[in-house]
Amino acid sequence: MDLTRAELDVVVRRREYAADDVVTLTLADPRGAELPDWAPGAHIDLLMTPSLIRQYSLCGEPANRTEWRVGVLLDPNSRGGSQFVHDRLREGAMVRVRLPRNHFPLVSSPRYLFIAGGIGITPILPMITAAEAAGSQWQLLYGGRTRSSMPYLDVLERHGRRVTICCRDKREGPDFRTALTAALSEPDGNTGVYCCGPEGLLEAVGTACERWPDNSLHVERFSARSRDDTVEGLTSFELECRRSGVTFTVAQDQSIYQACEIAGVDVLGSCMEGVCGTCESDIIEGELDHRDSVLNDAEQDANETMMICVSRARSQRLVLDL
C-alpha cells in the first residue's frame, strides 16, 4: 500500500479552545483501533470536501496511538479550510484524513533552539517532547500578539526558563526580534534550529542563520515563498511517466500536475503552491527547476524528488516515477 495516499475516517473525540480563534481537535478511530504512528514534524490532510483539503500539524504525543491532535487557527482570510473546521467539526463529527507525512523531521542533536510564531507552535510541541525524552538541551522562543492569542502556553510554561514568551503588545517578555538576534548571534554546529511561523519570522531567522553551518536551520512554512509565476522564460518539455507508460509534452503555461491530469495519469495534490508536499514525486532522469517551499537547498540539490504542482524541468526531457 502507498501510505502517502492511504486514507481513513476518524471521529472528533474532543474539541476545545486553546487560544483566541484557535481550536484543538482530538481525533480518534471510531472503532477504538490504534492510529498509524507518526514522528514530530508530521502533518495530516483533512479532506473536508472533495475540493477542500488542508494540512495541519500533529501537535499531540507520538506515543499516544489512540489519538491525534491538531490545532487550527481561524484565518480571517480563510479560503474555506479553517472556517469549515471551526464551524462544522464539532465533537462526534466524522472527517476523512490522509495518513501522516513528514517534511519537517526532527534530526537528532545534542541541543535545539525552537522558534515559533503564533499557530506555528503546533509542530514544535511534539519536538520538545522528543528532545526531553532524548536528554537533549533545548530552548524555545515563542512570539505572538498577546497571551490570549498564543495557544498551549499552559503546557509550555511548565518548562520554566527554557521557554521565552514574547508578546507583541510588549506587556510581557522581551522584544521578539531582540531575543532572536541574541539567540542566533553565535553560530553553533551542535544546535539544530527549528522554526515555524509567518513568512516574516522565517525570513528573519533565515537571515540570522546565514553564518551558521549548513543544515542547521529547519523551517516549515504556512505559505509559499515568493517566486516569479510568469510564463516568460519558461519552456515546454517532454515528460515520461515511467510507471504509467505514457509520454507527453508539458506546455510552457502548464504545471506538470495539470499536464498529468489531462493525460490521465493518477496524481495526488492539494495546495497547488508547493507548500504541503502532497504531490511529491520521485525523479528518475532530468534536470530540475525546483520552485517549491518544502525541500531545503540540500534536498533540492540531491535531485531525488520534486513537487509537481510548481516545479519544472530545465532539461528538454524529464522522467518521473509516476
Side-chain angles (χ1 to χ4, degrees), residues 7-145:
E7 300 174 2
L8 70 146
D9 293 315
V10 295
V11 63
V12 179
R13 177 177 286 175
R14 289 189 303 279
R15 170 192 165 102
E16 51 201 338
Y17 276 91
D20 295 344
D21 294 327
V22 177
V23 68
T24 301
L25 300 182
T26 300
L27 308 173
D29 184 281
R31 298 168 301 279
E34 285 193 341
L35 296 169
D37 61 0
W38 59 281
H43 70 261
I44 56 173
D45 294 352
L46 296 188
L47 286 70
M48 292 167 274
T49 72
S51 61
L52 187 59
I53 303 170
R54 296 292 185 268
Q55 296 73 41
Y56 298 106
S57 296
L58 291 169
C59 60
E61 300 284 343
N64 184 354
R65 296 288 299 278
T66 64
E67 297 178 341
W68 287 338
R69 295 177 68 210
V70 294
V72 181
L73 171 68
L74 179 59
D75 186 344
N77 301 311
S78 174
R79 294 176 296 148
S82 65
Q83 193 74 58
F84 187 101
V85 170
H86 279 249
D87 290 349
R88 304 278 294 276
L89 294 186
R90 304 291 176 178
E91 290 186 5
M94 298 290 294
V95 62
R96 179 158 285 250
V97 301
R98 290 196 186 116
L99 269 56
R101 297 193 308 279
N102 200 338
H103 290 285
F104 190 41
L106 185 68
V107 179
S108 178
S109 177
R111 287 189 294 275
Y112 296 101
L113 174 61
F114 299 117
I115 304 169
I119 196 63
I121 192 62
T122 49
I124 301 298
L125 291 174
M127 292 185 175
I128 289 174
T129 300
E132 286 269 291
S136 300
Q137 300 176 34
W138 64 271
Q139 294 284 327
L140 167 67
L141 294 180
Y142 181 21
R145 299 188 311 277

Side-chain angles (χ1 to χ4, degrees), residues 83-298:
Q83 193 74 58
F84 187 101
V85 170
H86 279 249
D87 290 349
R88 304 278 294 276
L89 294 186
R90 304 291 176 178
E91 290 186 5
M94 298 290 294
V95 62
R96 179 158 285 250
V97 301
R98 290 196 186 116
L99 269 56
R101 297 193 308 279
N102 200 338
H103 290 285
F104 190 41
L106 185 68
V107 179
S108 178
S109 177
R111 287 189 294 275
Y112 296 101
L113 174 61
F114 299 117
I115 304 169
I119 196 63
I121 192 62
T122 49
I124 301 298
L125 291 174
M127 292 185 175
I128 289 174
T129 300
E132 286 269 291
S136 300
Q137 300 176 34
W138 64 271
Q139 294 284 327
L140 167 67
L141 294 180
Y142 181 21
R145 299 188 311 277
T146 63
R147 282 186 65 88
S148 65
S149 71
M150 300 171 69
Y152 313 117
L153 280 178
D154 55 339
V155 174
L156 292 166
E157 289 183 329
R158 296 173 193 165
H159 294 291
R161 298 175 64 182
R162 283 181 289 185
V163 176
T164 300
I165 305 298
C166 306
C167 295
R168 196 180 304 164
D169 63 6
K170 297 185 179 179
R171 288 194 297 239
E172 178 184 348
D175 174 75
F176 199 14
R177 287 189 177 271
T178 301
L180 280 178
T181 300
L184 297 170
S185 60
E186 294 296 330
D188 181 359
N190 290 317
T191 297
V193 181
Y194 285 77
C195 181
C196 184
E199 190 61 27
L201 171 62
L202 300 184
E203 289 178 359
V205 173
T207 299
C209 285
E210 287 177 351
R211 296 186 300 113
W212 283 59
D214 292 343
N215 300 321
S216 294
L217 176 61
H218 310 262
V219 303
E220 184 165 64
R221 285 180 156 79
F222 297 149
S223 57
R225 287 179 287 201
S226 60
R227 64 176 189 270
D228 183 4
D229 281 328
T230 64
V231 299
E232 184 179 353
L234 301 181
T235 60
S236 61
F237 54 91
E238 183 180 78
L239 174 65
E240 177 188 344
C241 298
R242 180 66 56 86
R243 277 190 288 117
S244 300
V246 296
T247 299
F248 49 89
T249 297
V250 178
Q252 176 189 26
D253 60 350
Q254 274 183 318
S255 69
I256 293 174
Y257 187 94
Q258 292 168 334
C260 285
E261 282 198 311
I262 293 170
V265 176
D266 184 24
V267 287
L268 194 65
S270 177
C271 72
M272 299 300 132
E273 296 180 346
V275 176
C276 71
T278 304
C279 68
E280 185 172 17
S281 302
D282 291 336
I283 302 164
I284 296 175
E285 178 186 323
E287 183 182 352
L288 267 293
D289 175 13
H290 289 285
R291 293 169 162 244
D292 66 276
S293 301
V294 178
L295 303 176
N296 60 34
D297 291 343

